[in-house]
Amino acid sequence: MLSFEQKQKIIETFPELTKKEISLNRLNYHYDESLYEKTIVVEKLHPNGNGFVYVGDLLKYESEVNEKGLVNIRDYNESKLREILEDAINYLSVDPDQPIIEKWTSKNGAVIELIYEKRSWNVYYEQNLEESFGTREAAVSYLQEDGFKRKD
């Protein structure tokens, strides 16, 4: 488990986050460029190493997230902490009503769309939803396993 100081040092490598001291020597880190009212990315980072990161309804964290959209980072290592911070900032930076669309093709010319919408990576063939993933990496892996390549 990382110490409070180690977590603080890692969090502060994200220049887009602003530190704010709160009660009981705890810290919050805000993302002031958030597209939403929610700006706190790291909540109640405590000197005992406990703290939370806001991930909202990201499918990737559905097994860890509480009802407020927070994940406890007490036992996170450096790579997991960096990853969740990047995901949280991206979550607050992307308008879910503005989908990201990628076209993928198979060797025989079939075209599939990979669309990021409503916090999920969805695979569509024609108008039909084929699969839904919590991360782009999982969706890309699925497409590549089926022989699809990104169409630029």
Side-chain angles (χ1 to χ4, degrees):
M1 178 177 85
L2 297 170
S3 70
F4 171 76
E5 292 79 14
Q6 290 169 317
K7 287 178 182 164
Q8 188 177 2
K9 189 173 182 178
I10 292 165
I11 294 164
E12 290 177 4
T13 65
F14 291 83
E16 57 269 68
L17 298 179
T18 305
K19 178 172 69 173
K20 298 198 176 170
E21 295 180 14
I22 58 174
S23 62
L24 304 172
N25 296 321
R26 296 175 300 170
L27 302 172
N28 283 349
Y29 287 85
H30 292 253
Y31 176 54
D32 296 327
E33 302 298 316
S34 174
L35 297 178
Y36 308 93
E37 285 184 35
K38 179 71 173 174
T39 64
I40 300 174
V41 171
V42 179
E43 192 168 306
K44 299 175 185 154
L45 182 63
H46 192 277
N48 70 8
N50 203 25
F52 300 89
V53 172
Y54 180 75
V55 295
D57 58 1
L58 281 175
L59 290 177
K60 182 176 180 179
Y61 298 99
E62 68 184 335
S63 66
E64 300 176 73
V65 70
N66 69 18
E67 66 281 350
K68 294 180 181 178
L70 298 168
V71 172
N72 190 312
I73 58 167
R74 179 180 187 88
D75 297 324
Y76 270 40
N77 62 28
E78 181 175 353
S79 64
K80 281 184 73 175
L81 181 56
R82 287 186 184 284
E83 182 178 353
I84 198 170
L85 291 170
E86 288 171 9
D87 290 341
I89 292 167
N90 287 336
Y91 182 87
L92 295 172
S93 300
V94 175
D95 183 349
D97 295 327
Q98 297 286 11
I100 298 169
I101 302 171
E102 299 177 2
K103 300 232 186 251
W104 290 69
T105 57
S106 68
K107 292 177 185 173
N108 65 2
V111 177
I112 289 221
E113 288 184 327
L114 176 59
I115 303 176
Y116 181 70
E117 56 187 351
K118 296 183 173 60
R119 310 281 186 215
S120 298
W121 289 94
N122 300 313
V123 176
Y124 288 92
Y125 177 68
E126 296 177 349
Q127 300 294 328
N128 300 315
L129 176 64
E130 297 292 323
E131 283 289 338
S132 202
F133 299 90
T135 66
R136 183 178 183 282
E137 293 78 21
V140 166
S141 177
Y142 170 82
L143 289 169
Q144 289 173 337
E145 286 174 11
D146 283 348
F148 284 86
K149 294 189 179 194
R150 186 163 178 191
K151 185 177 176 180
D152 293 320

